[in-house]
Amino acid sequence: SDALEPHLTKHWRRHGLGEPSRGNVLTWHNPKRGATCDDVKHPDASSYGANGANDDPDASSNAGIVNGVAWRTAPRAKDEPAHAALVSHFAAFANGDSEVGSSAGHHVLVHGPVGAGKRWLLMSSLGVCLGLQHDTSKGRPSKSPASALRVVRVPREALRQLPELCRFAGDHPRARFVFLLDMPLALAPHAEFYNELTCALDGGGGGRWPPNAILAAAALEPTALKPDAASSGGGGLACRFRLSVGV
């Protein structure tokens, strides 16, 4: 109806068109299919009007709750400093901070031993920025969601498709993308994929890294190399991650 038109126009201006406009967590499949929005459940009905419509017509679509416990779980006490650093970095990037996200190279690495909860910590901190974690005492999101932020989960089989992912981000300039790797990095130096990843992070591989996207990954070592390779010397990929936190 005509009454919806200004709200739809505002939504399109803020979020753009296509899959990134449908939700804030997507999964990358392949260059042909691209990224599709993950299942999202609406928040508790108490935040919605009697007809199931949000009482605030300007509220962000990020108010939904993404399936998965990690997005909605607070960090363990020992991980709170790392969690706070991650939230600060991701929030600054999402909001277009002049120090974070105005240019490529602000990638994030969380490193630690097997079972340390590295990816959990990444998802938890991103969940805060997406407004998915709730203050149980007040029944509302603990942080206002960053409306432009989109997390794209990148599975193991798609790791070599970073150039295509970069083009995808470039096609949606209104959004701010975090490419979240679904597997920890444990690379062999000078292996083919190591060189491909280095090239992509440096803006090669057929095009520059887009200014509206960053990479977030877990690794066993701060170099993102295999432990035996990391101990033999060499910086690995450490210099390509602006924020590196250990757990």
Side-chain angles (χ1 to χ4, degrees):
S1 68
D2 292 341
L4 285 174
E5 184 174 346
H7 302 307
L8 289 173
T9 300
K10 184 173 183 178
H11 177 86
W12 291 332
R13 284 176 176 170
R14 178 182 291 175
H15 303 293
L17 300 173
E19 285 294 316
S21 70
R22 297 185 58 237
N24 44 32
V25 178
L26 304 95
T27 296
W28 178 262
H29 300 283
N30 53 58
K32 184 176 181 179
R33 186 179 177 189
T36 59
C37 183
D38 288 2
D39 290 337
V40 176
K41 297 178 181 179
H42 289 297
D44 185 84
S46 61
S47 64
Y48 277 65
N51 297 323
N54 196 314
D55 292 332
D56 178 6
D58 294 331
S60 168
S61 63
N62 289 12
I65 298 178
V66 178
N67 289 333
V69 175
W71 305 101
R72 307 190 299 274
T73 304
R76 297 171 296 185
K78 74 179 188 66
D79 292 331
E80 286 178 354
H83 187 269
L86 290 166
V87 170
S88 176
H89 190 86
F90 288 135
F93 166 73
N95 293 318
D97 187 281
S98 60
E99 295 298 321
V100 180
S102 59
S103 61
H106 295 275
H107 310 299
V108 175
L109 186 72
V110 176
H111 56 88
V114 174
K118 300 178 288 296
R119 287 189 63 256
W120 187 286
L121 188 61
L122 281 167
M123 295 170 73
S124 174
S125 57
L126 286 165
V128 172
C129 298
L130 294 171
L132 300 177
Q133 291 188 25
H134 283 64
D135 182 338
T136 55
S137 66
K138 299 178 181 178
R140 65 190 185 200
S142 57
K143 182 180 180 67
S144 297
S147 62
L149 185 63
R150 297 293 183 270
V151 179
V152 181
R153 301 178 66 171
V154 183
R156 175 192 296 266
E157 61 270 19
L159 285 177
R160 284 188 157 145
Q161 297 168 15
L162 282 176
E164 289 82 1
L165 272 160
C166 289
R167 285 192 285 273
F168 171 80
D171 289 341
H172 300 277
R174 290 186 178 91
R176 310 283 288 176
F177 293 98
V178 175
F179 298 150
L180 177 63
L181 299 189
D182 268 354
M183 62 166 289
L185 293 174
L187 306 174
H190 311 302
E192 183 179 2
F193 176 64
Y194 174 91
N195 294 330
E196 290 175 0
L197 180 58
T198 301
C199 184
L201 293 175
D202 288 346
R208 69 183 183 89
W209 189 276
N212 65 327
I214 60 174
L215 183 73
L220 298 177
E221 299 286 341
T223 59
L225 299 176
K226 292 181 177 180
D228 56 345
S231 63
S232 64
L237 295 176
C239 64
R240 290 172 174 83
F241 291 93
R242 179 62 59 90
L243 178 64
S244 179
V245 297
V247 293

